[in-house]
Amino acid sequence: MTKRLLLAAAAALALPLPSLAQTAPDVAKLRDAALSDDKVAWDIVEGLTTEVGQRLAATEAEARARAWAVKKLTALGFQNVHIETYQMPVWVRGAETAEVVGPSAQKLTITALGNSGSTGPGGVDGEVVYFPTLADLQAAPAGSLKGKIAFVSNAMTATQDGSQYGYYGAARRAGPNLAASKGAAAILIRSIGTDYHRNPHTGVTNWADGVKPIAAAALSVPDAEQLERLLKRGPVRLKLLVTPQFKGQAESGNVVADVPGSDPGAGIVLIGGHLDSWDLGTGAIDDGAGVAITTAAAMRVRAAGQPKRTIRVVWFGAEEPGGFGGEAYARAHASERHVLAMESDFGADRVWKFETSLPDAARPIADRLAAALAPLGISRGRSGAHGGTDVGPVIQTGVGGVDMSQSGLRYFDYHHTPDDTLDKIDPAQLRQNVAAWTTMLAIVANAPEDIGPVPRHSSE
């Protein structure tokens, strides 16, 4: 053992016995039962992806998903089940093709990024300008891309915590706006993904005020590498056709359901995931699994007896195009006392780490979580909980949280691709997620400590 490991072991042994005792026997029983026999989460994600399928925000498909969710949550015994609607911009996909023209003529596999502009029905034909990284595109002189097609090919790799997504994903989120500001007619990026299938990864991009959207699309990883090889042999021209449409404003919404607590003054524990998905796959790992895991866990805690705190399950709408559902929920419920806010939105592979943000008076809760989650192979992280896109607006008001970190080693093989389908979910790992969330919810929803506001980015 290293000195650090010895110190950690000594610290664990030094935990006060009452802290450990509060995790047993009921929480342990709930945890182990979920691990061995939960079927609710699979039933939810199987039903949602089969009976509704893809659920692009603010479309008829997402509306059908909300109706499906109300029916399902009501049948599962939740109370106060209802839809809270809001208006948002609508973007829908059109044609999307890319072809190398000239002596090496060939087709490339692409998909438009959410909020992409259009080439128009005639497409664009232009010389490709290669940028190995987003920083190289940033360094390009103003006006230097006029009439040309920019190509950014930064490559992320798989990590357990998915940490490369933030850095490399900037090419998708900000690259198109940058290319447009320098005069580009269109932009292609290497997919923000870790697979080597010809499945390009979509995802939203953003435009600054005053910048006219240009056609913006992702190449599959093999096609991006093919284009790199072609560029090493000399100049490359592409014919690009990308014809999505912005269709004004339409309705999206959140589906809200409660497990009422016995003490209204103890506050609300907010959990959930997002109901919408991109339109390429059926949204199984992103994020049918998340709504399924959190809902199944809330049901198990409810079945063990009325919790002290209200557990509110929200299936958020319109997360993918920019977090509209999370922002709408925070506005609509600003007057209510939320004490914790948490979401599951990283697939369905096993939870391996948890982190908390709690006020000082409630920090013993984290010790109880550590003891109760350890049998599931879940360790205690060193940072604070930060939530995600959907619960972020609530957390920003000073509400604490618990992050349940799933393994990201496979996630970006399928994320935002046609391969985001039910068969990518391992039922045993899905049950481990439900067991982890059940354990966590049983502890936090019944904790005797008052859970007050926390400073932003506070850790346990």
Side-chain angles (χ1 to χ4, degrees):
M1 267 190 174
T2 65
K3 182 177 179 182
R4 179 177 292 174
L5 287 174
L6 284 168
L7 289 172
L13 289 172
L15 284 173
L17 289 178
S19 178
L20 293 173
Q22 290 181 60
T23 68
D26 293 341
V27 172
K29 183 177 180 181
L30 284 171
R31 175 195 66 210
D32 296 346
L35 186 64
S36 66
D37 66 13
D38 184 75
K39 296 179 178 63
V40 173
W42 179 266
D43 176 67
I44 291 171
V45 69
E46 189 274 343
L48 180 62
T49 57
T50 303
E51 296 171 29
V52 180
Q54 66 83 21
R55 307 171 296 281
L56 190 66
T59 66
E60 179 272 341
E62 194 196 29
R64 280 192 290 114
R66 289 193 296 275
W68 188 95
V70 168
K71 184 176 179 181
K72 175 62 70 173
L73 289 163
T74 301
L76 292 174
F78 286 89
Q79 297 188 32
N80 307 323
V81 180
H82 64 281
I83 298 170
E84 299 177 353
T85 61
Y86 46 86
Q87 296 290 306
M88 60 166 287
V90 186
W91 176 92
V92 295
R93 191 176 304 281
E96 40 196 32
T97 62
E99 297 181 56
V100 176
V101 297
S104 297
Q106 57 189 278
K107 295 180 179 180
L108 300 176
T109 305
I110 66 167
T111 191
L113 301 180
N115 288 339
S116 168
S118 175
T119 60
V124 298
D125 185 325
E127 180 183 350
V128 176
V129 181
Y130 173 58
F131 299 98
T133 69
L134 182 62
D136 294 307
L137 175 59
Q138 289 172 323
S144 62
L145 298 180
K146 186 174 181 179
K148 297 180 180 179
I149 299 172
F151 168 44
V152 180
S153 192
N154 60 190
M156 70 178 288
T157 56
T159 60
Q160 188 175 29
D161 64 0
S163 55
Q164 290 197 5
Y165 181 59
Y167 177 80
Y168 289 101
R172 186 197 79 212
R173 294 186 297 269
N177 181 79
L178 188 59
S181 71
K182 295 176 184 288
I187 181 172
L188 296 175
I189 65 165
R190 175 180 173 134
S191 278
I192 311 303
T194 53
D195 64 303
Y196 273 87
H197 297 149
R198 293 191 85 179
N199 284 328
H201 297 237
T202 191
V204 74
T205 194
N206 302 294
W207 306 102
D209 291 342
V211 174
K212 182 180 178 180
I214 59 174
L219 287 154
S220 75
V221 172
D223 287 86
E225 294 188 351
Q226 177 82 330
L227 183 54
E228 287 182 16
R229 288 189 292 269
L230 287 168
L231 286 162
K232 287 178 180 178
R233 287 166 163 78
V236 174
R237 291 190 69 85
L238 282 181
K239 176 68 180 291
L240 190 66
L241 179 68
V242 178
T243 62
Q245 296 181 57
F246 293 93
K247 304 191 80 171
Q249 297 281 311
E251 186 174 88
S252 183
N254 301 323
V255 183
V256 181
D258 286 344
V259 176
S262 61
D263 180 0
I268 297 167
V269 175
L270 173 66
I271 63 170
H274 65 86
L275 181 58
D276 67 309
S277 75
W278 285 110
D279 53 332
L280 302 182
T282 59
I285 67 167
D286 187 19
D287 186 33
V291 298
I293 290 162
T294 51
T295 302
M299 281 189 63
R300 286 187 169 269
V301 174
R302 184 193 69 203
Q306 186 177 23
K308 175 183 178 181
R309 295 177 176 86
T310 292
I311 299 171
R312 177 165 295 161
V313 180
V314 180
W315 295 17
F316 293 93
E319 186 271 352
E320 296 291 7
F324 292 93
E327 292 173 358
Y329 177 87
R331 288 194 301 269
H333 297 271
S335 64
E336 296 176 275
R337 186 188 178 214
H338 294 79
V339 294
L340 293 170
M342 301 159 285
E343 67 184 78
S344 177
D345 185 16
F346 201 53
D349 282 4
R350 63 177 295 273
V351 178
W352 63 280
K353 181 180 72 170
F354 82 94
E355 291 170 315
T356 66
S357 291
L358 295 165
D360 289 344
R363 292 193 178 190
I365 295 172
D367 295 334
R368 299 200 292 278
L369 290 173
L373 292 169
L376 295 173
I378 300 170
S379 62
R380 185 174 181 174
R382 298 182 178 184
S383 300
H386 300 285
T389 299
D390 286 318
V391 301
V394 171
I395 285 177
Q396 289 299 310
T397 66
V399 173
V402 181
D403 286 349
M404 306 290 283
S405 299
Q406 295 138 313
S407 173
L409 291 173
R410 295 194 311 148
Y411 184 68
F412 290 106
D413 288 353
Y414 312 123
H415 179 249
H416 294 180
T417 75
D419 251 356
D420 181 1
T421 49
L422 183 65
D423 56 290
K424 307 310 183 300
I425 296 178
D426 179 333
Q429 294 197 59
L430 184 68
R431 289 194 299 272
Q432 191 260 7
N433 274 262
V434 176
W437 274 82
T438 299
T439 302
M440 182 270 293
L441 278 180
I443 290 172
V444 302
N446 292 293
E449 295 89 353
D450 180 65
I451 306 176
V454 297
R456 288 175 60 182
H457 308 307
S458 173
S459 67
E460 40 78 15

